[in-house]
Each structure stands twice: as C-alpha cells, then as structure tokens.
C-alpha cells in the first residue's frame, strides 16, 4: 500500500478506535490514537481478581465462523480460530421446578427439543425456527462489509424482517399452548425484557448460530482487544496511553487537531472521535454542532439499561457440565434497586474458557441497572459501596438454591454499575451500545 502522507488522529482505543487505526495504517495513512487509559479495549474489557478473570463484555461475537464478517477479524488478527468456543446451548431457561428449555444453537436439535416439550405447539415452533433458518442468507451481521450491494442481500428476506420486527418475544410466547414455554420463552435473548425485544434480533442470532458463528473468544474481552492493539502497532500505528483528549481543534468548522489534558496540541488531516458521542458533541466540540434531533435523542434516552448491573464471582468450584448461560426463573423475593426481579441471568465460565484455573469457575450475573439509582447513592461513597454489597448478598442467596454450597465457595466477588462504565469510558450515563432509546 502506498503511503498517502496523510495523518489521522483517533480519539479512543476501544474496538472502534483500534479497528479504524488498523485500517488507516493498511490504507497508507499515519494513524495516532490517544487513549485516556493505560490499556486498550474500552467497554471490551476484563480484569483480574485473585487469579480469576472477570469478563465484562463479549457474549457472542459475530464473525467467528462462516459469516463474511470473519474476514474483518482476520485482517485485524483479533483471535486464533482454535480459541473460539462455540456453544451447544445459547441459553437454558430453568424454572423453579427444574423444568428446562434449552435454546440449542443447532436449529434442528432445537426444533426436536421444543416438540418434545410441547408436541401440540408444532405449528408455532415450525414458524419460529423456519424463520431463523431462512434469515441465514441475509448475513445481517456482515451488512456493512461490501458497501451498498451487500444490503441488497436482504431484499428476499424483507417480508420476514418486517413480520418479525413487529412482534416481540412476550407476544410470541403467548402463541404457545404449553404453559412452560409461555413462561420461559420471553427470557431467551439474554433475559432482556421480552416485551422490549422484537423477535427479529433473536432470529438473527439463531441464523448466526446456524452459520456456525457467534462464538466466544477464549480468555475474554481484554485479550481480544489486546490482539487488535498488537496488530495496530505491528502495522506501524502510534498508540499513546494516559492521553485524555480535552478538546477538538477547529478551523473553519473543520476538525484539524486535538488538545490533550496536559495542554499539548496535535494536528492531523483527519480527526476521528471513537469515544462516546455525547462527550464528543457536548464537551470536545463544545456543543457547536448539535441539533434538535441530537439533543432530544440524548434527553429521551432511558436511564435503565440491560447489562447495567453485573455481579462477578470467582468460585472454588468446578462448574463443568453446566450450560454457558442460564436464565433462572425464581419465585423467592428478590428486590434490587427497589424493583422486584423474577429471574436472574447467570453466565458460567469454567477453566476451559481461560478465565479460571482448573477446578475453579467464574459466575457472572447480568441484569438491568438504573443510572440515577446509583448516581444518587454515589453522593455518599459508603452508601454506594454498601448497596453493592447488598446486591451481591441478595444474588448469592438466590444462587444457593440452584448451586447448593456455592456461598462458601466464593473466593472473591465484584459488582459493576452504570457508574463504573461512566468512570471507566466517560460514556454518558454509563450507556452501552444496545440500550434502546426510550423515545426517539
Ligand atoms: C456488557 C456489554 C456486553 C456486550 N456484548 C457484546 C457482544 O456479545 N458482542 C458484540 O459484538 N458486542 C458486544 N458489546 C458491544 C461492544 O462491546 C461495543 O460495541 C464496543 O466494545 C464499543 O467499542 P467502541 O470503541 O465504540 O467504544 P468504547 O468501548 O466505549 O471505547 C471508547 C474508548 O475511548 C476512550 N475515550 C473516551 N473519551 C476519550 C477522550 N476524551 N480521550 C481519550 N480517550 C477517550 C475510552 O477510554 C475508551 O477506551 C457489548 C457491550 C457491553 C457493554
């Protein structure tokens, strides 16, 4: 590739910033990334506690199998193929009586399982899973890869896309005659609230699994980020850690450089912010380029977000043989943030995932978390800390019923809230990418 002699400044070494940097270098630009932390990844991160790795981010990564997106990860050298864990069961929904719905990643296996649970629901099961299978050719996750023409791929699937966007998981669950399926089905997509989640994303996941995709990179999210960081550096990119950007320099309303927190100025032909949108628009650019649409988008965003609250535990217990994820339907009282919870989403990482030593495991619980709830508590550091302790104790009491003896096997635990994300990435209100706007 010929050098262009053009310089690009990128703000942030999350996955977006690192990937942009790699492709900039591959296309002959000189890229420099300014990252406020001392490590790469942003949201795509993990941390170590007493020999356990607590993984914050990746659940299912598109492009780990046969989908076109795989080409991008190859170019970024993001993982070795042999380190991708493909799950047999995406999630198991378990009720209080031990009844199980296993969402197998193999559609034929899943069909058989569902028909065994409820032969009288054959039509509803066929309708659901035939749709999952037919969306396979849309390769939705690779949509941006080949520009305009890749989008034409979805035309034959437009009917399915419209049909399944209009119905949510809870509504679809009501079509089952079987009472257990009615109750369990709304929990199949990361246990997100079934009434908020259209069937379409779930079906795209089923199609992705059918393509042998959506695996999980062994060793977790930080390792994944570090691989792309390594690629960027190998391509000759310049990465500056501990370098928060305070302002974007403008010339005739064009971004021409940045001012770092230490006061130094840096100039380039192109400036790209791969940090949080809100911080970029209202702080780095002083709100000069906002609009009513953008303002109302940020004003109307919901304060409660899926995955906002996470509880991690390092266990002296081998949980091999358990599925990777369980949506546990519970009938005991569980109130968190003053809201009654009727289920817990439990992710299990045994030693084969690289997150725990042999004979040990990590458990991660993800649930909805409310920014304002934790923000109020944070005004008194001690109350904030205490509330996190309370959350842990409530959760472990519930888990004790499902995993007898677990309490005594917990060696270390940690709780993250939307404020953890805000502090760590400067993301406005600790938002993550997939919180749907409340209204916009
Ligand atoms: C809990 C969770 C689970 C997820 N699960 C999946 C999954 O299973 N599959 C999947 O594909 N995706 C998943 N995602 C989404 C995916 O992780 C994100 O889309 C992606 O990591 C976002 O990357 P980013 O680079 O855009 O932003 P960020 O990760 O937010 O990175 C921004 C970076 O910019 C830095 N920065 C910000 N402001 C400045 C500044 N002023 N100066 C210098 N540096 C700055 C930050 O420190 C950070 O490193 C998940 C996300 C979360 C939070």
């Amino acid at each position: 590739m010929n050098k262009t002699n053009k310089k690009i400044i990128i703000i942030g070494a999350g996955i977006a910033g690192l990937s942009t940097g790699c492709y900039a270098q591959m296309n002959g630009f000189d890229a420099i990334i300014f990252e406020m932390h001392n490590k790469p990844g942003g949201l795509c991160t993990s941390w170590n506690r007493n020999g356990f790795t607590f993984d914050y981010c990746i659940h299912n990564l598109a492009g780990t199998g046969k989908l076109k997106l795989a080409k991008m990860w190859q170019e970024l050298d993001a993982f070795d193929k042999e380190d991708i864990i493909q799950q047999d069961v995406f999630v198991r929904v378990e009720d209080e009586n031990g009844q199980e719905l296993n969402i197998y990643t193999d559609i034929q296996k899943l069909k058989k399982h569902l028909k065994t649970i409820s032969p009288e629901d054959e039509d509803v099961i066929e309708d659901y899973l035939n749709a999952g299978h037919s969306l396979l050719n849309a390769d939705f996750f690779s949509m941006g890869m080949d520009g305009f023409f890749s989008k034409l791929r979805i035309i034959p699937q437009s009917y399915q896309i419209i049909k399944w966007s209009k119905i949510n998981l809870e509504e679809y669950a009501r079509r089952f005659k079987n009472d257990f399926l009615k109750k369990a089905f709304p929990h199949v997509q990361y246990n997100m609230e079934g009434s908020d989640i259209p069937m379409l994303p779930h079906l795209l996941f089923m199609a992705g699994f059918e393509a042998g995709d959506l695996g999980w990179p062994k060793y977790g999210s930080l390792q994944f980020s570090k691989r792309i960081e390594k690629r960027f550096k190998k391509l000759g990119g310049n990465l500056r850690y501990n370098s928060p950007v305070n302002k974007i320099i403008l010339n005739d309303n064009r971004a021409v450089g940045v001012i770092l927190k230490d006061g130094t100025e840096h100039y380039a032909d192109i400036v790209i912010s791969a940090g949080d949108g809100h911080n970029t628009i209202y702080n780095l650019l002083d709100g000069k380029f906002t609009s009513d649409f953008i303002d109302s988008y940020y004003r109307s965003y919901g304060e409660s977000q899926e995955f906002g609250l996470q509880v991690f535990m390092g266990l002296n217990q081998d949980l091999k043989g358990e599925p990777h994820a369980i949506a546990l339907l519970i009938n005991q009282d569980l109130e968190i943030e003053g809201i009654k919870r009727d289920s817990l989403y439990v992710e299990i990482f045994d030693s084969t995932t690289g997150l725990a030593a042999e004979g040990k495991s990590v458990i991660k619980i993800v649930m909805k978390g409310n920014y304002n709830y934790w923000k109020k508590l944070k005004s008194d550091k001690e109350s904030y800390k205490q509330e996190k302790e309370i959350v842990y104790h409530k959760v472990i009491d519930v888990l004790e019923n499902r995993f007898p003896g677990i309490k005594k096997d917990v060696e270390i635990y940690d709780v993250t809230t939307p404020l953890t994300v805000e502090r760590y990435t400067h993301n406005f209100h600790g938002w993550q990418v997939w919180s749907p706007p409340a209204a916009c």
Side-chain angles (χ1 to χ4, degrees), residues 195-291:
S195 58
D196 286 347
I197 307 297
M199 282 290 285
L200 184 66
H202 174 63
L203 291 173
L204 294 174
F205 265 64
M206 296 319 298
F209 288 131
E210 186 75 347
D213 218 90
L214 294 172
W216 186 83
K218 196 173 169 182
Y219 309 114
S221 302
L222 182 59
Q223 168 76 4
F224 173 79
S225 302
K226 281 187 170 170
R227 284 283 295 250
I228 307 176
E229 175 210 45
K230 194 169 160 199
R231 175 81 173 124
F232 176 64
K233 287 185 174 165
K234 215 167 158 192
L235 285 163
N238 187 351
L239 184 38
R240 299 264 302 267
Y241 286 118
N242 303 309
S243 304
V245 171
N246 269 6
K247 287 287 166 220
I248 292 174
I249 304 168
L250 298 171
N251 184 1
D252 262 351
N253 284 343
R254 226 186 117 251
V256 293
V258 295
I259 307 178
L260 302 191
K261 193 177 174 194
D262 64 11
T264 54
E265 296 184 5
H266 303 261
Y267 290 85
D269 301 282
I270 298 169
V271 178
I272 296 172
S273 175
D276 173 56
H278 186 277
N279 189 38
T280 302
I281 294 165
Y282 296 100
N283 297 329
L284 303 187
L285 290 167
D286 292 320
K288 279 184 187 147
F289 303 97
T290 185
S291 64

Side-chain angles (χ1 to χ4, degrees), residues 87-103:
Q87 291 137 11
D88 177 39
V89 175
F90 172 41
V91 59
R92 173 183 294 166
V93 187
E94 277 182 27
D95 77 358
E96 317 78 15
N97 310 314
Q99 243 184 312
E100 290 175 5
L101 163 62
N102 289 308
I103 300 296

Side-chain angles (χ1 to χ4, degrees), residues 10-18 33-37 39-45 55-62 69 73 141 190 205 214-216 221 224-225 240 242-247 260 273-276 279-280 284 305-308 310 364 366 421 423-427 430-434:
I10 298 163
I11 304 168
I15 297 302
L18 290 170
I33 303 180
F34 293 110
E35 165 58 49
M36 63 186 184
H37 277 295
K39 55 167 96 76
L43 289 168
C44 193
T45 198
D55 193 62
Y56 187 71
C57 187
I58 302 173
H59 297 87
N60 296 91
L61 186 70
L69 198 58
W73 296 129
F141 293 108
Y190 297 138
F205 265 64
L214 294 172
W216 186 83
S221 302
F224 173 79
S225 302
R240 299 264 302 267
N242 303 309
S243 304
V245 171
N246 269 6
K247 287 287 166 220
L260 302 191
S273 175
D276 173 56
N279 189 38
T280 302
L284 303 187
Q305 55 173 312
E306 301 289 352
F307 294 10
Q310 306 199 15
K364 166 167 116 171
V366 295
V421 176
R423 174 178 53 77
Y424 193 72
T425 61
H426 284 192
N427 283 4
W431 288 348
Q432 304 156 5
V433 281
W434 47 22

